[in-house]
Amino acid sequence: MMLNTDRVNRVLNKLQQDALLVMDPYAIDYLCGKHFEPGERFLGLLLRKDKEPVLYVNALFRFDDDLGLRKVYYDDTDDVTAMLRKDLDPNQSLGVDKIMPARFLLPLMEQKAASSFALGSLAVDQTRAVKDRHEIELMRASSHVNDLAMEQFKKLIREGVTEVEVADQMLAIYKKLGASGYSFDPIVAFGDNAADPHHMPDDTVLEEGDIVLFDVGCVVNGYCSDMTRTFFYKQYPDKEAEKVYNLVREANEQSEEMLKPGVEIAMVDKKARDIITNGGYGEDFTHRLGHFIGLQDHEYGDVSSTNHNLEEAGMIHSIEPGIYHPGIAGVRIEDLVLITEDGHEVLNHYPHDIEVIG
Amino acid sequence: MMLNTDRVNRVLNKLQQDALLVMDPYAIDYLCGKHFEPGERFLGLLLRKDKEPVLYVNALFRFDDDLGLRKVYYDDTDDVTAMLRKDLDPNQSLGVDKIMPARFLLPLMEQKAASSFALGSLAVDQTRAVKDRHEIELMRASSHVNDLAMEQFKKLIREGVTEVEVADQMLAIYKKLGASGYSFDPIVAFGDNAADPHHMPDDTVLEEGDIVLFDVGCVVNGYCSDMTRTFFYKQYPDKEAEKVYNLVREANEQSEEMLKPGVEIAMVDKKARDIITNGGYGEDFTHRLGHFIGLQDHEYGDVSSTNHNLEEAGMIHSIEPGIYHPGIAGVRIEDLVLITEDGHEVLNHYPHDIEVIG
């Protein structure tokens, strides 16, 4: 637990302002190896191009570790923006975190604590999007646990069970496998519920012939996994559902196949979308192909038609095409993928084959 | 589910600006009876003194209910601040929500969408602090479930159990009693852990003679409860722990006793603090006496030495004195209380007596 000077330097190199006030607890964790959950209280890491970093933290969260930076404690009766202003140069520009709440930003602006205020957190977000070697190891470990968990989630499926009953047992399974918790609330969807990509587990009872969709992830050593598999309960899918499944599978595998440094991210989305569109289900693939992930389940960067950036070695994101057509099928197949120096590595190893369970 | 014009008018009467952009999902729920969890996406309710309200919501959350206001849907590719600007008068002042993130606020300011920008959400916060009749009924119901749950939590206590094992069983108990979930993650603290007011359940094993502290709450029909009781496992407390318990109990009951409209809130904190200080434990009562509560577990308003506002009929807040002295005892006794026209009503009915369990 120490300021990661390599990461800080990568951020400062990208930063367009003279200083950056980082407030996102995950970004702060990423940069100085310590996680706080400040709730409504101010938490800020000030990075300056001409001086050492400073961490502002409520005295409630006082800690002993030497993080290799200056700490400033305040308490609930202090005016923290006035304290922060002492470390700011009113003649320098300040980049602020995109999440900075108005209750802290407006007072700093009224106090003219910087020569200009602009959104600056992109410099951290872009740095976080490219994982370093240590992070890659942790992301592999988290997805490995997720693969093992998927095997066990399948076994929760039996006649008459409800989605909520299945979902309620997942956390214990993850914890036994070494996860600290969910990376997001699990999606368990039976039958036509699978055709709603935002469905949350409810009291729907499983019936023979249902689709069973699991979109699940856990946190291991602080890093997130996220995988979706779609199963069929007791009956092989009918012809149209089989076609839907195979289209989604093809979209997943062919878009993964093209991943390597230098590929435009929008083209990856296009590959998957074209396959589904040519198969006649373009209107039913209603979301982006994927999102970046790391310390948080959803991080900056999406895999969509609007992202014209290029894939870089170290990037990790999901590939999760889906077709949502009530009455026919709801299918999504999602993996996490790492861009490597000369290609890619799929972090999930649970198979993509059509699988009849129960 | 409909715009609550009485609440909107109370807010606009308090508002110092010409318009207010409400972004807090709970404040929006409070004002228009509909709850969204927009995540990172923009959600805004624009209240204007000279025009009808407008709700901006992502098309992902499209809904059919007629809330009695104009809805504006946007999608992820739209520039939502540019859309918002069309409904703002650049010659009028705008109050913004204290939680408004910089990524929305800075673009609006750059576009000069209002003549001035200031924090305006206090008008909603102060309105929410005084519950109306409907809310009071729901708060009573939530605390009633919490009272019933406390009876059952006690029964989870047995030799060798860990805090986490106890905590993991609480949600199911709440749900059986009709709650939709926790109002906050439950605190279960054994022995000296009770002397840390921020302790979260861990693998500490219960031992004979331990203190068992439960700080727990649930959500019923959207409204929160929050109660703390401190028990003793198998052994009556020793003389010093008994003294600590009785001081905390006296601080709780005497500060509750003085509650009625017109009492300065700081004086309520002082009453409890004086009792504990005169008993010799002033240094070990390390937090404010209470907090306001309603749709959220912690709402605007605290019961502390710095709150010079007066109690008003309809206010609901916690009264939760504590003494945290490792080696002697960690004790907190917390109730929710409602200020009535001529006094107060304690919403929790679980007794305050010293109780030996197990």
Side-chain angles (χ1 to χ4, degrees):
Chain A
M1 296 211 290
M2 185 75 185
L3 189 74
N4 189 313
T5 49
D6 174 55
R7 294 178 186 172
V8 169
N9 288 336
R10 285 166 64 203
V11 170
L12 289 176
N13 282 338
K14 289 181 196 289
L15 185 68
Q16 295 181 3
Q17 292 79 30
D18 297 314
L20 175 65
L21 182 62
V22 184
M23 292 193 65
D24 178 344
Y26 288 93
I28 289 175
D29 186 346
Y30 174 76
L31 292 169
C32 62
K34 197 155 176 77
H35 195 82
F36 302 90
E37 281 296 340
E40 296 173 1
R41 294 184 170 94
F42 185 89
L43 171 69
L45 173 65
L46 180 64
L47 304 180
R48 297 173 294 187
K49 288 184 175 168
D50 60 352
K51 283 187 189 154
E52 292 307 296
V54 195
L55 181 71
Y56 305 84
V57 57
N58 193 288
L60 274 178
F61 304 104
R62 194 176 284 275
F63 61 98
D64 292 329
D65 333 20
D66 174 12
L67 298 182
L69 46 68
R70 183 157 69 86
K71 303 177 205 167
V72 174
Y73 292 112
Y74 69 92
D75 69 36
D76 286 345
T77 63
D78 288 323
D79 177 353
V80 69
T81 59
M83 292 167 75
L84 182 61
R85 191 174 45 150
K86 290 184 196 158
D87 290 316
L88 291 171
D89 181 337
N91 300 311
Q92 288 191 349
S93 57
L94 179 66
V96 301
D97 200 306
K98 62 182 181 295
I99 70 160
M100 185 172 193
R103 67 181 177 282
F104 301 122
L105 177 56
L106 285 175
L108 272 190
M109 293 176 86
E110 281 155 18
Q111 294 163 11
K112 301 197 193 306
S115 62
S116 69
F117 294 83
L119 294 174
S121 42
L122 198 59
V124 191
D125 293 337
Q126 290 175 336
T127 303
R128 284 174 64 185
V130 179
K131 270 63 182 170
D132 56 35
R133 202 181 306 179
H134 178 63
E135 292 185 286
I136 289 169
E137 279 311 317
L138 297 178
M139 288 296 288
R140 280 196 188 106
S142 188
S143 279
H144 178 61
V145 169
N146 212 17
D147 284 338
L148 296 175
M150 187 64 81
E151 275 296 349
Q152 299 200 31
F153 295 158
K154 258 178 13 188
K155 296 179 190 153
L156 302 175
I157 292 302
R158 51 178 173 72
E159 194 85 38
V161 78
T162 70
E163 292 168 357
V164 164
E165 283 165 2
V166 171
D168 280 353
Q169 299 174 71
M170 290 179 154
L171 188 59
I173 289 172
Y174 273 132
K175 287 190 172 178
K176 266 192 198 150
L177 291 170
S180 58
Y182 291 136
S183 52
F184 58 95
D185 287 336
I187 295 177
V188 178
F190 296 161
D192 250 8
N193 292 344
D196 169 9
H198 298 285
H199 179 74
M200 291 310 292
D202 63 20
D203 294 332
T204 301
V205 176
L206 184 68
E207 290 176 18
E208 187 168 332
D210 273 352
I211 277 176
V212 175
L213 182 151
F214 293 126
D215 185 349
V216 292
C218 61
V219 178
V220 177
N221 291 317
Y223 279 80
C224 295
S225 52
D226 186 353
M227 170 170 57
T228 308
R229 289 293 183 269
T230 306
F231 301 103
F232 297 88
Y233 181 57
K234 282 197 174 165
Q235 293 179 11
Y236 195 85
D238 64 27
K239 222 175 171 65
E240 199 59 30
E242 184 188 26
K243 179 187 169 190
V244 164
Y245 189 95
N246 286 329
L247 271 176
V248 172
R249 178 182 181 168
E250 203 190 331
N252 169 295
E253 294 178 357
Q254 292 207 23
S255 59
E256 287 179 355
E257 198 46 52
M258 70 188 281
L259 293 170
K260 61 178 179 184
V263 170
E264 185 185 336
I265 292 174
M267 288 299 111
V268 184
D269 181 273
K270 184 172 187 308
K271 167 69 93 178
R273 209 163 296 275
D274 284 351
I275 290 168
I276 289 175
T277 302
N278 293 336
Y281 284 94
E283 303 246 309
D284 297 324
F285 177 18
T286 49
H287 55 70
R288 60 185 177 179
L289 180 62
H291 58 86
F292 281 62
I293 181 169
L295 286 167
Q296 289 172 280
D297 175 42
H298 284 200
E299 294 195 345
Y300 169 80
D302 53 17
V303 183
S304 77
S305 63
T306 61
N307 189 345
H308 302 294
N309 293 319
L310 307 184
E311 298 278 10
E312 283 178 54
M315 285 180 168
I316 294 179
H317 56 68
S318 69
I319 291 287
E320 47 179 309
I323 293 177
Y324 311 99
H325 199 109
I328 296 178
V331 174
R332 182 166 61 256
I333 303 177
E334 173 186 23
D335 299 311
L336 297 191
V337 285
L338 161 72
I339 311 302
T340 59
E341 291 300 331
D342 54 0
H344 64 275
E345 174 186 331
V346 181
L347 300 187
N348 292 106
H349 300 284
Y350 195 96
H352 292 167
D353 309 274
I354 288 183
E355 188 174 347
V356 178
I357 59 175
Chain B
M1 295 212 289
M2 185 74 186
L3 189 74
N4 189 312
T5 50
D6 173 56
R7 294 178 186 170
V8 169
N9 289 335
R10 285 165 66 202
V11 170
L12 289 177
N13 283 338
K14 287 182 198 288
L15 184 68
Q16 294 180 6
Q17 291 80 30
D18 298 313
L20 175 65
L21 182 62
V22 184
M23 292 193 64
D24 179 342
Y26 288 93
I28 289 175
D29 187 347
Y30 174 76
L31 293 169
C32 62
K34 196 152 177 79
H35 195 81
F36 302 91
E37 282 295 340
E40 295 173 1
R41 295 184 169 93
F42 185 88
L43 171 70
L45 173 66
L46 180 64
L47 304 179
R48 297 172 295 187
K49 288 184 176 168
D50 60 354
K51 283 187 192 156
E52 292 308 295
V54 195
L55 181 70
Y56 305 85
V57 56
N58 193 287
L60 274 179
F61 305 104
R62 195 177 284 274
F63 60 98
D64 292 329
D65 332 20
D66 174 13
L67 297 182
L69 46 68
R70 183 157 68 86
K71 304 177 205 169
V72 174
Y73 293 111
Y74 69 92
D75 70 35
D76 287 345
T77 63
D78 288 323
D79 177 354
V80 69
T81 60
M83 293 168 73
L84 183 60
R85 192 175 43 151
K86 291 183 194 157
D87 291 315
L88 290 172
D89 181 338
N91 299 311
Q92 288 190 351
S93 57
L94 179 66
V96 301
D97 201 308
K98 62 183 182 295
I99 69 160
M100 186 172 193
R103 67 183 176 280
F104 301 122
L105 178 55
L106 285 175
L108 272 190
M109 294 176 87
E110 281 156 19
Q111 293 163 9
K112 299 196 193 308
S115 61
S116 69
F117 294 83
L119 294 175
S121 43
L122 199 59
V124 192
D125 293 337
Q126 289 174 336
T127 303
R128 285 175 62 184
V130 179
K131 269 64 184 170
D132 55 36
R133 204 181 303 180
H134 179 63
E135 292 185 285
I136 289 169
E137 279 312 316
L138 297 177
M139 288 296 289
R140 279 196 189 106
S142 187
S143 279
H144 178 62
V145 169
N146 212 17
D147 284 339
L148 295 174
M150 186 64 80
E151 274 297 346
Q152 299 200 32
F153 295 157
K154 258 177 16 189
K155 294 178 191 154
L156 303 174
I157 292 302
R158 52 178 172 70
E159 196 84 38
V161 78
T162 69
E163 293 167 356
V164 164
E165 284 166 1
V166 171
D168 280 352
Q169 299 175 71
M170 291 179 154
L171 188 60
I173 289 173
Y174 272 132
K175 287 190 171 178
K176 266 192 198 148
L177 290 168
S180 58
Y182 292 135
S183 52
F184 58 96
D185 286 336
I187 296 178
V188 178
F190 296 161
D192 251 8
N193 292 345
D196 169 10
H198 298 285
H199 179 73
M200 290 312 291
D202 63 21
D203 294 332
T204 302
V205 176
L206 184 68
E207 290 177 17
E208 188 169 332
D210 273 352
I211 278 176
V212 175
L213 183 149
F214 293 127
D215 185 348
V216 291
C218 61
V219 178
V220 177
N221 291 317
Y223 279 80
C224 296
S225 52
D226 186 353
M227 171 170 59
T228 309
R229 290 294 182 269
T230 306
F231 301 104
F232 297 89
Y233 181 57
K234 283 197 172 164
Q235 292 179 10
Y236 195 86
D238 65 25
K239 222 175 172 67
E240 199 59 29
E242 183 189 26
K243 181 187 167 190
V244 163
Y245 189 95
N246 286 330
L247 271 175
V248 172
R249 177 180 181 169
E250 205 189 330
N252 170 295
E253 293 178 357
Q254 292 208 23
S255 58
E256 287 180 355
E257 198 46 52
M258 70 189 283
L259 294 171
K260 61 179 180 185
V263 170
E264 184 185 337
I265 292 174
M267 288 299 111
V268 184
D269 182 273
K270 183 173 188 307
K271 167 68 93 177
R273 210 162 296 276
D274 283 351
I275 289 167
I276 289 174
T277 303
N278 293 337
Y281 284 94
E283 304 246 309
D284 298 323
F285 177 18
T286 48
H287 55 70
R288 59 186 177 178
L289 181 61
H291 57 87
F292 282 61
I293 181 169
L295 286 167
Q296 288 171 280
D297 176 43
H298 283 199
E299 295 195 345
Y300 169 80
D302 54 17
V303 184
S304 77
S305 62
T306 60
N307 188 344
H308 302 295
N309 294 319
L310 307 184
E311 298 278 11
E312 283 178 54
M315 285 179 167
I316 293 179
H317 56 70
S318 69
I319 292 287
E320 49 180 307
I323 293 176
Y324 311 100
H325 199 110
I328 296 178
V331 174
R332 180 166 65 256
I333 303 177
E334 173 185 22
D335 298 311
L336 297 191
V337 286
L338 161 71
I339 310 303
T340 59
E341 290 299 332
D342 55 358
H344 65 276
E345 174 186 330
V346 181
L347 300 187
N348 291 106
H349 299 285
Y350 196 97
H352 292 166
D353 310 273
I354 288 182
E355 188 174 347
V356 178
I357 60 176

